[in-house]
Amino acid sequence: MAMNARALGLTVIGVTSVAYATETKSRHVSGRTSRTTATSSSTPGSPSGTRS
């Protein structure tokens, strides 16, 4: 969905854990992660492995 939004020229904002993203592999066929797909991303500061 985010990749389609970017293709349409829309701004995509991602809120993700950079530490978690660097420790895991992408499950998307393209290999991209939400952090690399988003136009702008933010890390809330939660430690790796924690989810809300």
Side-chain angles (χ1 to χ4, degrees), residues 2-3 6 12-24 26 31-44:
M3 290 173 66
R6 288 286 307 264
V12 177
I13 299 172
V15 179
T16 184
S17 167
V18 175
Y20 179 77
T22 56
E23 292 179 7
T24 59
S26 173
R32 294 188 70 173
T33 63
S34 59
R35 184 174 60 101
T36 59
T37 302
T39 307
S40 175
S41 62
S42 172
T43 302

